Amino acid sequence: MTAASVQFGQYPPARRTILHLSDTHLLAGNTPLGGRFDTAANLTRTLEAAEATGIRPDAIVFTGDLTDLGEPEAYVALRAAVEPVADRLGAPVVWIAGNHDERPALRRDLLGLEPTEEPVTGVWDLGGLRLIGLDTTVPGWHHGDLDSHQLEWLRHELATPAPLGTILALHHPPLPSHVPLFDILELRDQGRLAEIVAGTDVRAILAGHLHYSTSGTFAGVPVSVAAATCYTMNLARAAVEVNGMDAGQSFHLVHVYDDTITHSVVPVVDAPTGDFFSAEWVERMSRLTPEERLEAFSRKRH
């Protein structure tokens, strides 16, 4: 018996795990975004932090705004940065289109498809967990929408439940924002999507777009928004003065259990940490009975 096989609490290990990242906003030639943000370096730091967690995810999901201007060279650079990490982790990469992306270049340079304006959608079977990627982009605009064809396609896909349920991934979150600029650029006509999602096996919705982490519910389904890898919004300001800062980057660890899904925000920071807990500590705890573990770690010592 190994420490990893010992169940410390009442929940068994997660059935599936997903790395959720968003809003990389790469530019050709790594031109600084807005004249100040090194998006390539920030992506590299985020990927290094994700890999350092030691997890072996079932998928790596990027929820849109993969590039800032939809340049072919930027998509090539994105593949070059992400694919070696994905190969080492043994995980497929799911690319979701965002409002800063351009469908033809995304389809050709990331997916190897014909460079058309067709929506970028897909379905992935992650060992019984179904992941559906939607395309909320509107060519030529920054707000989001889903046309009737895509909604009917989604309705058809959801008609048959998946063994471990379904997760939807899209760029524009079906949530309100307290920041005015994002409400202007929201996902429009959300009621049509809600009517299709309600009562199905959809267990979670992953999104991006906001450049800050937030969560809520939509049609009874939890929604989790990952902050950006490029820059994040400084919410320590009044809502009408919120702007981007080169700090607060993070990604999410999505753990899928039998009866719940957790979304853990992992900050990408260099900071000193304590050294009390370790693999050796966990292994030592694993050798104790549940009662002995409580005595050793739960009882207060005064």
Side-chain angles (χ1 to χ4, degrees):
M1 180 179 293
T2 65
S5 67
V6 176
Q7 184 175 319
F8 285 179
Q10 58 193 292
Y11 293 96
R15 294 277 192 174
R16 302 289 178 266
T17 306
I18 294 172
L19 275 177
H20 176 198
L21 305 90
S22 201
D23 292 84
T24 48
H25 282 265
L26 292 195
L27 283 159
N30 195 31
T31 300
L33 180 61
R36 61 189 304 179
F37 303 117
D38 188 337
T39 60
N42 287 345
L43 172 60
T44 297
R45 290 187 66 225
T46 303
L47 292 172
E48 290 173 348
E51 195 169 5
T53 65
I55 72 163
R56 303 281 292 184
D58 295 279
I60 305 172
V61 180
F62 287 81
T63 47
D65 281 0
L66 310 172
T67 68
D68 192 62
L69 297 175
E71 301 158 302
E73 183 183 336
Y75 288 113
V76 172
L78 182 60
R79 285 187 63 177
V82 173
E83 287 188 347
V85 177
D87 289 343
R88 289 193 295 270
L89 296 179
V93 181
V94 176
W95 305 110
I96 303 298
N99 51 283
H100 278 265
D101 291 304
E102 296 295 336
R103 288 174 177 174
L106 192 164
R107 291 172 64 85
R108 180 187 59 226
D109 298 305
L110 279 182
L111 305 180
L113 302 174
E114 287 297 312
T116 70
E117 287 286 0
E118 287 296 307
V120 180
T121 61
V123 181
W124 292 261
D125 179 3
L126 307 179
L129 175 68
R130 179 170 53 193
L131 177 65
I132 298 180
L134 298 175
D135 189 340
T136 57
T137 67
V138 180
W141 301 83
H142 282 298
H143 67 268
D145 206 350
L146 289 163
D147 61 29
S148 297
H149 179 76
Q150 194 173 164
L151 288 171
E152 286 307 309
W153 170 78
L154 177 62
R155 188 193 302 274
H156 174 77
E157 292 294 330
L158 294 178
T160 303
L164 297 181
T166 297
I167 292 179
L168 300 184
L170 43 73
H171 182 63
H172 298 81
L175 291 177
S177 174
H178 75 287
V179 181
L181 71 94
F182 287 117
D183 273 352
I184 299 173
L185 304 180
E186 69 182 355
L187 177 65
R188 297 169 64 88
D189 297 325
Q190 294 178 19
R192 298 190 302 161
L193 177 62
E195 186 271 327
I196 292 173
V197 168
T200 67
D201 73 338
V202 175
R203 301 179 60 191
I205 298 173
L206 309 182
H209 187 52
L210 303 182
H211 290 241
Y212 66 86
S213 296
T214 189
S215 61
T217 57
F218 174 77
V221 177
V223 180
S224 178
V225 180
T229 71
C230 60
Y231 69 85
T232 68
M233 293 308 227
N234 185 356
L235 298 187
R237 288 181 162 199
V240 294
E241 296 179 351
V242 166
N243 280 273
M245 61 180 179
D246 198 3
Q249 288 88 347
S250 63
F251 59 94
H252 286 188
L253 293 179
V254 182
H255 288 94
V256 180
Y257 297 89
D258 286 336
D259 299 316
T260 191
I261 298 179
T262 62
H263 306 262
S264 304
V265 180
V266 184
V268 180
V269 295
D270 296 316
T273 59
D275 58 3
F276 181 82
F277 303 106
S278 64
E280 186 279 330
W281 183 90
V282 172
E283 195 278 331
R284 178 156 43 89
M285 288 294 114
S286 73
R287 297 197 303 266
L288 304 179
T289 66
E291 293 75 19
E292 289 172 334
R293 279 195 288 273
L294 285 177
E295 181 65 33
F297 189 55
S298 178
R299 184 179 293 280
K300 294 182 179 180
R301 310 295 180 183
H302 295 291

